[in-house]
Amino acid sequence: MSDELATTDATADTTESADSEYKMSVTAKIDEVGPCKKHVTVTVPRADIDHFYSESLSELGDQATVPGFRVGHVPRKLVEKRFRQELSDQVKQRVLMESLELIAEDNDLDPINEPTIDIESLEIPEQGEFTFEFEVEVRPDFKIPEYKGLKLDRPVRTVDDKDIDEYLSRFLSQYGEMTEREGAAEPEDYLEISAKFEHAGKPLSEINELVVPLRPILRLQDAEISDFGELMAGSKTGDLRETELEISEEAEQIEMRGEKVKATFKVESVKHIQLPEIDKELLEKVGAETEEELREEVKSILDRQITYEQRQTTRTQVLEKITESADWDLPESLVTKQVENALRREILEMQQAGFSREDIQSRENELRQKAISTTRQALKEHFVLDKIATTENLEVEPAEIDMEIYYMAMQQGENPRRVRARLVKSGMLENLEAQLRERKAVDIVLDKAEYTEVEAETKQENQISAIARSVCSTLTMTTAEEEEEES
């Protein structure tokens, strides 16, 4: 498929008055060369090149400093000779910039990323027209699905005293005292271990000074040990335990995907936490005046998490329904580039809902093990929701971003200005705006949906120990760690 497009009428009078804005007469031939990818061939007439050459020469002549001549009075021929390279670079820059802007305005390309152009290799000829080519990734073209009147299940669950007690116990553990365990390890004890990984009989990597709670599952960035609790049950200082694990099919190290790896764990020590008493000193540390006030705050956090889980469940149903027809492909290069971005957005949502760093790390590791497929689906969801948002004329106001940052700051115990600065530094502020716009699009769908309330599944706590390390590499700082370090 190919389209020959002219951005202006070639026969139009291109003579401009001194005050009018010059418009180029470029033509663009656009071909589809793959999923969401276009190849563009641009032809710039000689008249456009001469215009920018004359304009650049005039500007340079007004500023050029040449011995023996006053500034602004250097002969044109001498300026051309002395500043040949500067003129060439300036004309090339203007021709490219103006022509790309014009093509973007006049043709429905809707690019996702900057076009790939090897600027250094381009040379504008001294005579005749100038032609250059580039490829650009664009948004997929699809028909918006029906999103009104969807039938959805909405899980409901209430927070009771048992839920509050369990959360409070986990919360207070960060203020507890770590002491040596005499005897065998028990569930929720902390194991200080070192780990060695071998592949095909050869050393692969090591992790030292690793401290993990003894739980059923150990989740790394690129693998999971589903029987970790059984493996390490009853272990003591000095014990060695061995097992085999399989590297994720979507691990970053392509050559290791699906490979079997031998893991050897050595127990350096076993410790457990003695929870502190809820006294005046502790209440001051956590910013509560009474134990009842602390329990109310815990209930508020759990309510927010239930709202998040409820929203995620209904959102998943919505996205499954509206992306059923999204059978268009996405280029692998686009998906790969968006992995970290999609990961950061998921973490941002969990931070907004008040989840603990441990919960966030577990989710990050889970996503990293399925990075390609989850990102591909997330991108399709983004494109569909973005189209719904455009159809519904949804925009995000600055005050809405400010309020979201305020809530995040409250949950993290930080100053809102500091949270904003961190979002700006990490490039996440635009993500936050896009996330809020997508949330509005989901809300539109949810407002028009029909619901059946169902009992939510009981959530099993403390099943997973997540560590910010990879079997194949121990050098990566995870997104959750980066966020923690920034804060």
Side-chain angles (χ1 to χ4, degrees):
M1 176 180 175
S2 174
D3 299 306
E4 186 82 30
L5 301 168
T7 58
T8 64
D9 185 348
T11 62
D13 184 3
T14 58
T15 303
E16 310 285 340
S17 68
D19 295 326
S20 65
E21 184 179 345
Y22 182 82
K23 188 171 184 180
M24 300 176 71
S25 301
V26 302
T27 57
K29 180 174 176 290
I30 302 174
D31 298 298
E32 288 186 12
V33 291
C36 302
K37 186 175 286 188
K38 305 280 189 180
H39 183 90
V40 183
T41 303
V42 182
T43 302
V44 183
R46 189 72 225 174
D48 290 336
I49 300 170
D50 291 343
H51 168 82
F52 288 115
Y53 184 85
S54 177
E55 195 175 72
S56 297
L57 181 60
S58 177
E59 291 175 1
L60 197 56
D62 290 340
Q63 302 167 6
T65 302
V66 177
F69 297 93
R70 287 183 295 148
V71 175
H73 291 76
V74 183
R76 178 186 175 100
K77 291 293 185 183
L78 184 56
V79 172
E80 288 182 294
K81 184 177 180 180
R82 291 285 295 267
F83 301 99
R84 183 182 183 88
Q85 189 60 50
E86 288 87 342
L87 272 170
S88 177
D89 291 343
Q90 195 172 104
V91 171
K92 180 168 69 172
Q93 182 181 18
R94 289 189 173 187
V95 166
L96 289 173
M97 183 175 66
E98 294 284 343
S99 57
L100 288 173
E101 286 182 0
L102 196 59
I103 290 167
E105 288 176 8
D106 293 356
N107 302 298
D108 190 19
L109 281 181
D110 203 3
I112 301 171
N113 299 311
E114 294 292 324
T116 54
I117 303 177
D118 185 2
I119 297 176
E120 295 299 322
S121 66
L122 295 178
E123 292 293 339
I124 295 181
E126 295 185 3
Q127 301 293 328
E129 61 190 17
F130 168 52
T131 300
F132 66 96
E133 303 176 36
F134 63 89
E135 289 189 350
V136 62
E137 291 172 336
V138 298
R139 291 176 180 273
D141 184 21
F142 60 92
K143 183 180 178 181
I144 192 168
E146 180 55 56
Y147 58 89
K148 298 177 181 178
L150 298 180
K151 299 186 186 306
L152 306 174
D153 289 337
R154 181 161 53 195
V156 292
R157 180 162 64 92
T158 55
V159 176
D160 57 25
D161 287 339
K162 182 183 176 183
D163 296 323
I164 295 173
D165 290 339
E166 289 178 353
Y167 185 94
L168 196 54
S169 177
R170 296 197 304 274
F171 175 76
L172 292 176
S173 66
Q174 62 187 308
Y175 299 98
E177 182 181 350
M178 190 87 76
T179 60
E180 293 283 344
R181 164 75 71 186
E182 293 182 7
E186 299 178 7
E188 289 302 307
D189 278 354
Y190 281 78
L191 304 180
E192 182 184 353
I193 58 178
S194 57
K196 292 184 178 181
F197 302 101
E198 296 178 11
H199 175 246
K202 296 180 180 179
L204 179 63
S205 64
E206 291 185 22
I207 305 177
N208 296 311
E209 298 180 357
L210 183 64
V211 179
V212 295
L214 180 51
R215 293 175 180 167
I217 299 169
L218 179 64
R219 179 174 291 164
L220 297 98
Q221 291 178 324
D222 54 0
E224 194 163 286
I225 302 175
S226 58
D227 62 347
F228 184 74
E230 296 177 23
L231 177 70
M232 305 304 293
S235 58
K236 300 177 182 178
T237 300
D239 283 357
L240 290 175
R241 301 289 170 94
E242 295 181 352
T243 189
E244 187 178 70
L245 53 85
E246 184 175 319
I247 303 301
S248 166
E249 289 290 350
E250 297 181 29
E252 187 175 352
Q253 290 78 1
I254 298 174
E255 70 281 359
M256 288 298 296
R257 291 177 179 175
E259 291 292 309
K260 302 288 186 182
V261 172
K262 177 185 175 183
T264 303
F265 297 100
K266 181 181 179 182
V267 181
E268 306 292 348
S269 68
V270 179
K271 298 180 180 180
H272 67 103
I273 293 179
Q274 290 185 332
L275 295 181
E277 292 184 13
I278 303 178
D279 53 20
K280 184 177 180 181
E281 181 181 354
L282 179 66
L283 290 170
E284 286 179 356
K285 282 183 181 179
V286 300
E289 293 187 3
T290 64
E291 183 176 349
E292 188 59 34
E293 184 180 320
L294 176 59
R295 293 180 67 86
E296 282 298 318
E297 181 58 31
V298 168
K299 184 178 185 303
S300 175
I301 291 171
L302 291 173
D303 284 337
R304 284 202 302 274
Q305 291 184 9
I306 288 174
T307 300
Y308 169 84
E309 291 163 4
Q310 186 180 66
R311 182 182 184 82
Q312 290 301 100
T313 301
T314 52
R315 176 190 169 108
T316 298
Q317 295 175 66
V318 165
L319 295 175
E320 284 176 354
K321 292 177 184 294
I322 65 177
T323 58
E324 280 177 346
S325 60
D327 54 358
W328 22 270
D329 292 325
L330 293 171
E332 197 73 11
S333 59
L334 173 62
V335 175
T336 302
K337 280 187 286 189
Q338 292 295 323
V339 165
E340 286 299 321
N341 195 38
L343 193 61
R344 287 182 180 277
R345 293 184 67 178
E346 179 89 12
I347 288 173
L348 189 61
E349 277 203 77
M350 292 190 74
Q351 288 174 338
Q352 290 166 281
F355 281 87
S356 69
R357 182 178 181 276
E358 192 174 30
D359 289 334
I360 293 172
Q361 185 65 66
S362 175
R363 179 60 175 156
E364 175 178 350
N365 285 7
E366 181 183 11
L367 291 174
R368 284 190 184 278
Q369 291 179 35
K370 301 179 290 183
I372 302 300
S373 57
T374 54
T375 303
R376 180 178 286 109
Q377 180 61 23
L379 280 172
K380 287 190 174 184
E381 292 167 1
H382 163 71
F383 291 132
V384 173
L385 290 175
D386 184 65
K387 205 156 192 173
I388 292 175
T390 300
T391 302
E392 298 284 347
N393 297 315
L394 302 177
E395 296 297 338
V396 177
E397 300 297 328
E400 293 174 299
I401 296 176
D402 292 342
M403 185 58 68
E404 202 65 35
I405 290 173
Y406 171 76
Y407 284 136
M408 289 174 65
M410 288 285 289
Q411 290 160 2
Q412 297 169 24
E414 290 189 75
N415 184 294
R417 285 189 298 178
R418 188 172 180 183
V419 172
R420 176 183 285 275
R422 190 165 69 249
L423 290 173
V424 171
K425 183 179 179 181
S426 63
M428 288 293 289
L429 195 60
E430 289 184 4
N431 264 350
L432 178 59
E433 182 175 357
Q435 193 179 77
L436 293 177
R437 189 166 182 263
E438 288 180 20
R439 187 187 297 175
K440 284 188 170 187
V442 172
D443 286 342
I444 288 287
V445 179
L446 295 178
D447 286 344
K448 301 177 186 299
E450 299 177 14
Y451 295 98
T452 301
E453 291 195 344
V454 297
E455 189 67 27
E457 294 182 8
T458 303
K459 185 180 177 182
Q460 288 188 305
E461 300 288 354
N462 298 349
Q463 295 296 299
I464 300 169
S465 292
I467 58 174
R469 295 292 180 268
S470 162
V471 171
C472 300
S473 171
T474 59
L475 302 178
T476 305
M477 177 179 281
T478 67
T479 305
E481 279 188 319
E482 289 174 357
E483 294 290 330
E484 183 74 9
E485 187 172 87
E486 286 289 340
S487 63

Coordinates of all heavy atoms in Angstrom, one line a residue, residues 155-206:
P155 N -16.5 -7.7 42.2 CA -16.3 -8.4 43.5 C -16.4 -7.4 44.7 O -16.0 -6.3 44.6 CB -14.8 -8.9 43.4 CG -14.2 -7.9 42.4 CD -15.3 -7.5 41.4
V156 N -17.0 -7.9 45.8 CA -17.2 -7.1 47.0 C -16.6 -7.8 48.1 O -16.7 -9.1 48.2 CB -18.7 -6.7 47.2 CG1 -19.2 -5.8 46.1 CG2 -19.5 -8.0 47.3
R157 N -16.0 -7.1 49.1 CA -15.4 -7.7 50.3 C -15.4 -6.6 51.3 O -15.1 -5.4 51.0 CB -14.0 -8.2 50.0 CG -13.3 -8.8 51.1 CD -12.1 -9.7 50.7 NE -11.1 -8.9 50.0 CZ -10.0 -8.4 50.6 NH1 -9.9 -8.5 52.0 NH2 -9.1 -7.8 50.0
T158 N -15.6 -6.9 52.6 CA -15.5 -5.9 53.7 C -14.3 -6.2 54.5 O -13.9 -7.4 54.7 CB -16.8 -6.0 54.5 OG1 -17.0 -7.3 55.0 CG2 -18.0 -5.6 53.7
V159 N -13.8 -5.2 55.1 CA -12.6 -5.3 56.0 C -13.1 -5.6 57.4 O -13.9 -4.9 58.0 CB -11.8 -4.0 56.0 CG1 -10.6 -4.1 57.0 CG2 -11.2 -3.7 54.6
D160 N -12.6 -6.7 58.0 CA -13.0 -7.1 59.4 C -11.7 -7.0 60.3 O -10.6 -6.6 59.9 CB -13.6 -8.5 59.5 CG -12.7 -9.6 58.9 OD1 -11.4 -9.3 58.9 OD2 -13.2 -10.6 58.5
D161 N -12.0 -7.2 61.6 CA -10.9 -7.1 62.6 C -9.7 -8.0 62.3 O -8.6 -7.7 62.6 CB -11.4 -7.4 64.0 CG -12.3 -6.3 64.5 OD1 -12.2 -5.1 64.0 OD2 -13.1 -6.5 65.4
K162 N -10.0 -9.2 61.8 CA -8.9 -10.1 61.4 C -8.0 -9.6 60.4 O -6.8 -9.7 60.5 CB -9.5 -11.5 61.0 CG -8.4 -12.5 60.6 CD -9.0 -13.8 60.1 CE -8.0 -14.8 59.7 NZ -8.5 -16.0 59.1
D163 N -8.6 -8.9 59.3 CA -7.8 -8.3 58.3 C -6.9 -7.2 58.9 O -5.7 -7.1 58.5 CB -8.7 -7.7 57.2 CG -9.5 -8.7 56.5 OD1 -9.0 -9.8 56.3 OD2 -10.7 -8.4 56.2
I164 N -7.5 -6.4 59.8 CA -6.7 -5.3 60.4 C -5.6 -5.8 61.2 O -4.5 -5.3 61.2 CB -7.7 -4.4 61.3 CG1 -8.7 -3.7 60.3 CG2 -6.9 -3.4 62.0 CD1 -9.8 -3.0 61.1
D165 N -5.9 -6.9 62.0 CA -4.8 -7.5 62.9 C -3.7 -8.0 62.0 O -2.5 -7.8 62.4 CB -5.4 -8.7 63.7 CG -6.4 -8.2 64.8 OD1 -6.3 -7.0 65.2 OD2 -7.2 -9.0 65.2
E166 N -4.0 -8.7 60.9 CA -2.9 -9.2 60.1 C -2.1 -8.1 59.4 O -0.8 -8.2 59.4 CB -3.5 -10.1 59.0 CG -4.1 -11.4 59.5 CD -4.7 -12.3 58.4 OE1 -4.9 -11.8 57.3 OE2 -5.1 -13.4 58.7
Y167 N -2.7 -7.1 58.9 CA -2.0 -6.0 58.3 C -1.2 -5.3 59.4 O 0.0 -4.9 59.1 CB -3.0 -5.0 57.6 CG -2.2 -3.9 56.9 CD1 -2.0 -4.0 55.5 CD2 -1.8 -2.8 57.5 CE1 -1.3 -3.1 54.8 CE2 -1.1 -1.8 56.8 CZ -0.9 -1.9 55.5 OH -0.2 -0.9 54.8
L168 N -1.7 -5.1 60.5 CA -1.0 -4.3 61.6 C 0.2 -5.1 62.0 O 1.3 -4.5 62.3 CB -2.0 -4.2 62.8 CG -1.6 -3.1 63.8 CD1 -1.3 -1.8 63.2 CD2 -2.7 -3.0 64.9
S169 N 0.1 -6.4 62.0 CA 1.3 -7.3 62.4 C 2.4 -7.1 61.4 O 3.6 -6.9 61.8 CB 0.9 -8.7 62.5 OG 2.0 -9.5 62.7
R170 N 2.0 -7.0 60.1 CA 3.1 -6.8 59.0 C 3.6 -5.4 59.1 O 4.8 -5.2 59.0 CB 2.4 -7.1 57.7 CG 2.0 -8.5 57.4 CD 1.8 -8.8 55.9 NE 0.8 -7.8 55.3 CZ -0.5 -8.0 55.3 NH1 -1.0 -9.1 55.9 NH2 -1.3 -7.1 54.7
F171 N 2.7 -4.5 59.4 CA 3.2 -3.1 59.5 C 4.1 -2.9 60.7 O 5.2 -2.2 60.5 CB 1.9 -2.2 59.7 CG 2.2 -0.7 59.9 CD1 2.7 0.1 58.8 CD2 2.1 -0.2 61.2 CE1 2.9 1.4 59.1 CE2 2.4 1.2 61.4 CZ 2.9 2.0 60.3
L172 N 3.8 -3.5 61.8 CA 4.6 -3.3 63.0 C 6.0 -4.0 62.9 O 6.9 -3.6 63.6 CB 3.9 -3.7 64.3 CG 2.6 -2.9 64.7 CD1 1.9 -3.6 65.8 CD2 3.0 -1.5 65.0
S173 N 6.1 -5.0 62.0 CA 7.3 -5.7 61.9 C 8.5 -4.8 61.5 O 9.6 -5.1 61.9 CB 7.2 -6.9 60.9 OG 7.0 -6.4 59.6
Q174 N 8.2 -3.7 60.8 CA 9.3 -2.9 60.4 C 9.9 -2.1 61.6 O 11.0 -1.5 61.6 CB 8.9 -1.9 59.4 CG 7.8 -0.9 59.8 CD 7.2 -0.1 58.6 OE1 8.0 0.5 57.9 NE2 5.9 -0.2 58.4
Y175 N 9.2 -2.1 62.8 CA 9.6 -1.4 64.0 C 10.1 -2.4 65.0 O 10.5 -2.1 66.1 CB 8.5 -0.6 64.6 CG 8.1 0.5 63.7 CD1 6.9 0.4 62.9 CD2 8.8 1.7 63.6 CE1 6.5 1.4 62.0 CE2 8.4 2.7 62.7 CZ 7.2 2.6 61.9 OH 6.8 3.6 61.1
G176 N 10.0 -3.8 64.7 CA 10.4 -4.8 65.6 C 11.9 -5.0 65.7 O 12.7 -4.4 65.0
E177 N 12.3 -5.9 66.6 CA 13.7 -6.2 66.8 C 14.0 -7.6 66.2 O 13.3 -8.6 66.5 CB 14.0 -6.2 68.3 CG 15.5 -6.4 68.6 CD 15.8 -6.4 70.1 OE1 14.9 -6.0 70.9 OE2 16.9 -6.8 70.5
M178 N 15.1 -7.6 65.4 CA 15.5 -8.9 64.8 C 16.4 -9.6 65.7 O 17.4 -9.1 66.1 CB 16.2 -8.6 63.4 CG 16.5 -9.8 62.6 SD 15.1 -10.2 61.5 CE 15.3 -9.0 60.2
T179 N 16.1 -10.9 66.0 CA 16.9 -11.7 67.0 C 17.1 -13.0 66.4 O 16.4 -13.5 65.5 CB 16.2 -11.8 68.3 OG1 14.9 -12.5 68.1 CG2 15.9 -10.5 69.0
E180 N 18.2 -13.7 66.8 CA 18.6 -15.0 66.3 C 17.6 -16.0 66.7 O 17.1 -16.0 67.9 CB 20.0 -15.4 66.8 CG 21.1 -14.5 66.3 CD 21.5 -14.9 64.9 OE1 21.1 -16.0 64.4 OE2 22.2 -14.1 64.3
R181 N 17.3 -16.9 65.8 CA 16.4 -18.0 66.1 C 17.2 -19.2 66.6 O 18.2 -19.6 65.9 CB 15.6 -18.4 64.9 CG 14.9 -19.8 65.0 CD 13.7 -19.8 65.8 NE 12.6 -19.0 65.2 CZ 11.4 -18.8 65.8 NH1 11.3 -19.2 67.1 NH2 10.5 -18.1 65.2
E182 N 16.9 -19.7 67.8 CA 17.6 -20.9 68.3 C 16.8 -22.1 67.7 O 15.6 -22.3 68.1 CB 17.6 -20.9 69.8 CG 18.4 -19.8 70.4 CD 18.5 -19.9 71.9 OE1 18.0 -20.9 72.5 OE2 19.1 -19.0 72.5
G183 N 17.5 -22.9 66.9 CA 16.8 -24.1 66.4 C 16.4 -23.9 64.9 O 16.9 -23.0 64.2
A184 N 15.4 -24.7 64.5 CA 15.0 -24.7 63.0 C 14.2 -23.5 62.7 O 13.4 -23.0 63.5 CB 14.3 -26.0 62.8
A185 N 14.3 -23.1 61.4 CA 13.5 -22.0 60.9 C 12.0 -22.3 60.9 O 11.6 -23.4 60.6 CB 14.0 -21.6 59.5
E186 N 11.2 -21.3 61.2 CA 9.7 -21.4 61.1 C 9.2 -20.4 60.1 O 9.9 -19.5 59.7 CB 9.1 -21.1 62.5 CG 9.6 -22.1 63.6 CD 9.0 -21.7 64.9 OE1 8.2 -20.8 65.0 OE2 9.5 -22.3 65.9
P187 N 8.0 -20.7 59.6 CA 7.4 -19.8 58.6 C 7.4 -18.3 59.1 O 7.2 -18.0 60.3 CB 5.9 -20.3 58.5 CG 6.0 -21.7 58.8 CD 7.1 -21.8 59.9
E188 N 7.8 -17.4 58.2 CA 7.9 -16.0 58.4 C 9.2 -15.6 59.2 O 9.4 -14.4 59.4 CB 6.7 -15.4 59.2 CG 5.4 -15.3 58.4 CD 5.6 -14.5 57.1 OE1 6.0 -13.3 57.2 OE2 5.3 -15.0 56.0
D189 N 10.0 -16.6 59.5 CA 11.4 -16.3 60.0 C 12.2 -15.7 58.8 O 11.8 -16.0 57.7 CB 12.1 -17.5 60.5 CG 11.7 -17.9 61.9 OD1 11.0 -17.1 62.6 OD2 12.1 -18.9 62.4
Y190 N 13.2 -14.9 59.2 CA 14.0 -14.3 58.1 C 15.3 -15.2 57.9 O 16.1 -15.4 58.9 CB 14.4 -12.9 58.4 CG 13.2 -12.0 58.1 CD1 12.1 -11.9 59.0 CD2 13.2 -11.2 57.0 CE1 11.1 -11.0 58.7 CE2 12.2 -10.4 56.6 CZ 11.1 -10.3 57.5 OH 10.0 -9.4 57.2
L191 N 15.5 -15.6 56.7 CA 16.7 -16.4 56.4 C 17.8 -15.5 55.8 O 17.5 -14.9 54.7 CB 16.4 -17.6 55.5 CG 15.3 -18.6 55.9 CD1 15.1 -19.6 54.8 CD2 15.6 -19.2 57.2
E192 N 18.9 -15.5 56.3 CA 20.1 -14.8 55.7 C 20.8 -15.9 54.9 O 21.3 -16.9 55.5 CB 21.0 -14.2 56.7 CG 22.2 -13.4 56.0 CD 23.2 -12.9 56.9 OE1 22.9 -12.9 58.2 OE2 24.2 -12.4 56.5
I193 N 20.7 -15.8 53.6 CA 21.3 -16.9 52.7 C 22.2 -16.4 51.7 O 22.2 -15.2 51.3 CB 20.1 -17.7 52.1 CG1 19.2 -16.8 51.2 CG2 19.3 -18.5 53.1 CD1 18.1 -17.5 50.5
S194 N 23.0 -17.2 51.1 CA 23.8 -17.0 49.9 C 23.3 -18.0 48.9 O 22.9 -19.1 49.2 CB 25.3 -17.1 50.2 OG 25.6 -18.4 50.7
A195 N 23.3 -17.6 47.6 CA 22.8 -18.4 46.6 C 23.8 -18.5 45.4 O 24.4 -17.5 45.1 CB 21.5 -17.9 46.1
K196 N 24.0 -19.8 44.9 CA 24.8 -20.0 43.8 C 23.9 -20.7 42.7 O 23.2 -21.6 43.0 CB 26.0 -20.9 44.1 CG 27.0 -20.2 45.0 CD 28.2 -21.1 45.2 CE 29.3 -20.4 46.1 NZ 30.5 -21.2 46.3
F197 N 24.1 -20.2 41.4 CA 23.3 -20.7 40.3 C 24.2 -21.3 39.3 O 25.2 -20.7 38.9 CB 22.4 -19.7 39.7 CG 21.4 -19.1 40.7 CD1 21.7 -17.8 41.3 CD2 20.3 -19.7 41.1 CE1 20.8 -17.2 42.2 CE2 19.4 -19.2 42.0 CZ 19.7 -17.9 42.6
E198 N 23.9 -22.5 38.8 CA 24.8 -23.2 37.8 C 23.9 -23.6 36.6 O 22.7 -24.0 36.8 CB 25.4 -24.5 38.4 CG 26.4 -24.2 39.5 CD 27.0 -25.5 40.1 OE1 26.7 -26.6 39.4 OE2 27.6 -25.5 41.1
H199 N 24.5 -23.5 35.4 CA 23.8 -23.9 34.2 C 24.7 -24.8 33.4 O 25.9 -24.4 33.1 CB 23.4 -22.6 33.4 CG 22.8 -23.0 32.0 ND1 23.4 -22.7 30.8 CD2 21.6 -23.6 31.7 CE1 22.7 -23.1 29.9 NE2 21.6 -23.6 30.4
A200 N 24.2 -26.0 33.1 CA 25.0 -26.9 32.3 C 26.3 -27.3 33.0 O 27.4 -27.4 32.3 CB 25.2 -26.4 30.9
G201 N 26.3 -27.3 34.3 CA 27.5 -27.6 35.1 C 28.5 -26.5 35.3 O 29.6 -26.7 35.9
K202 N 28.2 -25.3 34.8 CA 29.1 -24.2 34.9 C 28.5 -23.1 35.7 O 27.2 -22.9 35.7 CB 29.4 -23.6 33.5 CG 30.2 -24.6 32.6 CD 30.5 -24.0 31.3 CE 31.2 -25.0 30.4 NZ 31.5 -24.4 29.0
P203 N 29.3 -22.4 36.6 CA 28.7 -21.3 37.4 C 28.0 -20.2 36.5 O 28.6 -19.8 35.5 CB 30.0 -20.7 38.1 CG 31.0 -21.8 38.0 CD 30.7 -22.6 36.8
L204 N 26.9 -19.8 37.0 CA 26.1 -18.8 36.2 C 26.1 -17.4 37.0 O 26.5 -16.4 36.4 CB 24.7 -19.2 36.0 CG 23.7 -18.3 35.3 CD1 24.2 -18.0 33.9 CD2 22.3 -18.9 35.3
S205 N 25.8 -17.4 38.3 CA 25.8 -16.2 39.1 C 25.7 -16.5 40.5 O 25.5 -17.7 40.9 CB 24.6 -15.3 38.7 OG 23.4 -16.0 39.0
E206 N 26.0 -15.5 41.4 CA 25.9 -15.7 42.8 C 25.2 -14.5 43.4 O 25.2 -13.4 42.9 CB 27.3 -15.8 43.4 CG 28.1 -17.0 43.1 CD 29.4 -17.1 43.9 OE1 29.5 -16.4 44.9 OE2 30.3 -17.8 43.4

